[in-house]
């Protein structure tokens, strides 16, 4: 689980997806060493393509937001993190701000957009993407 935290310093379509250590060690980028920062795991996530997803309920309706990103290079930081590059980060930000979504999301290695879309067809979930 990560959260949208800050824009990349020089790429307007990239965002830091970060949290204080919930990614498992198996997700660590092989070229970096894992560390502990205030008793929390700290490392960069393995490079690749990720589905970013969020379930949300609002006013009796249930939503499933699914977005696709690829990791990109960015400044090192602490915690578990990835620099995520989207096709259109401003549209993603609008989607998160206008709701009903909140900044915490799940990152799943691989492209599962079509699988989530198909799943939503058979449930009461409203599928959402950009």
């Amino acid at each position: 689980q990560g959260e949208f935290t800050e824009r990349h310093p020089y790429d307007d379509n990239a965002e830091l997806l970060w949290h204080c250590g919930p990614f498992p060690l198996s997700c660590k980028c092989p070229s970096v060493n894992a560390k502990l920062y205030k008793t929390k795991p700290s490392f960069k996530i393995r490079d690749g393509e990720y589905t970013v997803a969020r379930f949300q309920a609002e006013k009796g309706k249930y939503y499933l937001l699914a977005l696709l990103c690829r990791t990109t290079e960015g400044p090192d930081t602490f915690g578990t993190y990835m620099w995520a590059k989207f096709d259109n980060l401003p549209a993603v930000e609008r989607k998160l701000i206008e709701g009903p979504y909140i900044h915490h999301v799940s990152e799943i290695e691989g492209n599962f957009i079509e699988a989530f879309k198909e799943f939503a067809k058979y449930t009461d979930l409203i599928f959402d993407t950009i």
Side-chain angles (χ1 to χ4, degrees):
Q1 173 184 352
E3 65 182 89
F4 283 76
T5 56
E6 67 180 81
R7 276 254 181 116
H8 194 282
Y10 53 85
D11 185 339
D12 288 340
N13 277 317
E15 177 87 14
L16 178 62
L17 298 183
W18 174 95
H19 219 286
C20 53
F23 288 100
L25 192 57
S26 62
C27 292
K28 180 183 79 60
C29 180
S31 64
V32 301
N33 292 321
K35 300 174 184 168
L36 286 178
Y37 179 80
K38 296 187 177 182
T39 73
K40 304 275 192 273
S42 186
F43 53 86
K44 177 182 169 189
I45 301 304
R46 178 174 46 242
D47 287 331
E49 183 177 61
Y50 286 82
T51 301
V52 176
R54 172 73 191 192
F55 285 104
Q56 191 70 42
E58 182 175 271
K59 299 179 184 172
K61 294 182 181 178
Y62 297 89
Y63 299 85
L64 171 57
L65 175 66
L67 307 166
L68 196 62
C69 71
R70 292 201 58 80
T71 56
T72 189
E73 291 301 313
D76 290 333
T77 187
F78 64 95
T80 49
Y81 68 95
M82 72 168 76
W83 286 97
K85 185 173 180 79
F86 295 87
D87 286 339
N88 186 346
L89 182 59
V92 171
E93 291 172 330
R94 274 193 306 280
K95 183 70 72 173
L96 293 173
I97 290 168
E98 293 172 2
Y101 308 105
I102 299 174
H103 66 281
H104 284 94
V105 292
S106 296
E107 296 85 15
I108 307 155
E109 194 170 12
N111 182 341
F112 294 94
I113 302 287
E114 290 303 314
F116 283 160
K117 186 176 183 179
E118 185 71 13
F119 173 74
K121 284 178 17 183
Y122 302 101
T123 65
D124 287 335
L125 290 171
I126 298 166
F127 180 76
D128 198 2
T129 193
I130 305 225

